[in-house]
Amino acid sequence: MSNQNRSFTVAVVGATGAVGETMLSILAERDFPVGKLIALASERSAGGTVDYKGQKIAVQDLATFDPAGVDIALFSAGGGVSKEYAPKFAAAGAVVIDNSSAFRYDDDVPLVVSEVNPEQVQNRPRGIIANPNCSTMQMLVALAPIHRKVGIERINVATYQSVSGGGRSALEELGKQTGQLLNFQEIDPQRFPVQIAFNLIPQIDEFLDNGFTKEEMKLVWETRKILGDDSIQVNPTAVRVPVFYGHSEAVNIETKTKITPEEARTLLENAPGVEVVDDRAPGGYPTPVTHASGTDPVYVGRIRDDFSHPRGLNMWIVSDNIRKGAALNAVQVAELVAKNG
Ligand code: A2P
């Protein structure tokens, strides 16, 4: 049956959070065919409201909500909440699009970047589709076209990740610490292990036995799963930086056959979701503040040869982690679900 004129009952789980709030505005901006919108959060937010298309929508308590009748559920309330509630929504008939890492590595849950492997949305035996981690998302929007053309053997990546990836409490901590330090006051780090204002932290998520952090290993596991190629080597370092919105990545790739910066630029200029900003002049490159924050594209600049390797290429990839890195991709996946039934 065609879904051309259908409208959907859409639930946003975590609607009061940094990503959930953006999901609501992107559903509205893109005119997703919402018949009924349901905003869910924890008990502490129940009774409050969120904005959707200029209307105030009552926030309901997820714990007592009956998911019967929900067509599409966008989850962004953390892994624990997803693990407990996503299967219940799926069992009640909803397609769950989950922004947490709870199901990303399960074989029977597709991990979808809308520009890279959209066909995978159909492969959802459990009724759950996972949204990749923000850093993997923007990296693969830019690298997938190159991988398809010349094959990528190895990726070296250092990320510069904004605090919004840590949710509202992380945004507040950067703001508060910045104010305190500028006023010569003591700070008391809560959300981050050490001072984040005017500092960099080379740890995101927990440490694993191999010395990498979980955030770093997400780049390895998710790249292989999304590109469907376990032979790709990924060497990541993930760093939290005192930027509010927008992740940046210094990326070096080694390809199977040589691709020149000019060829890569042309390929990326025609790639969906990518905008090349590469002027080789002061300011002629994307930054989180000047380009990414509040916008949809994955920006690529600083495309240049790696003169230390015969098949190496360097680039700088920047995107709004809350939009393409989370909420926008989730809504794009919902659009694919809506289109395909
Ligand atoms: P609440 O505002 O009621 O705490 P962020 O990542 O910006 O911190 O947002 C997390 C989102 O997940 C918020 O909407 C938050 O709701 C929601 N959330 C957190 N814990 C739960 C829970 N146990 N049940 C439902 N929603 C939750």
Side-chain angles (χ1 to χ4, degrees), residues 196-210:
I196 180 64
F198 310 104
N199 201 9
L200 304 173
I201 305 177
Q203 180 202 345
I204 304 178
D205 211 331
E206 62 189 344
F207 278 98
L208 302 179
D209 289 344
N210 66 359

Side-chain angles (χ1 to χ4, degrees), residues 28 36 54 56 72 81 95 100 117 149 162 207 225 239 271 312 319 334:
K36 182 175 178 198
K56 298 250 175 272
I72 296 176
V81 170
V95 175
S100 82
N117 58 344
K149 184 89 176 173
S162 68
F207 278 98
K225 179 164 176 174
V239 181
S319 189

Side-chain angles (χ1 to χ4, degrees), residues 97-124 128-134 136-137 140 217-228 329 333:
I97 301 164
D98 182 36
N99 193 49
S100 82
S101 59
F103 309 105
R104 284 184 194 149
Y105 314 115
D106 294 1
D107 286 339
D108 50 4
V109 173
L111 184 61
V112 178
V113 181
S114 67
E115 294 85 352
V116 178
N117 58 344
E119 70 290 345
Q120 289 297 325
V121 298
Q122 297 298 82
N123 245 338
R124 45 170 203 267
I128 302 173
I129 300 167
N131 218 28
N133 180 255
C134 41
T136 315
M137 189 93 73
L140 293 191
M217 290 311 293
K218 287 174 190 171
L219 278 152
V220 181
W221 299 325
E222 296 180 20
T223 295
R224 290 176 177 165
K225 179 164 176 174
I226 295 162
L227 295 180
N329 195 70
V333 167

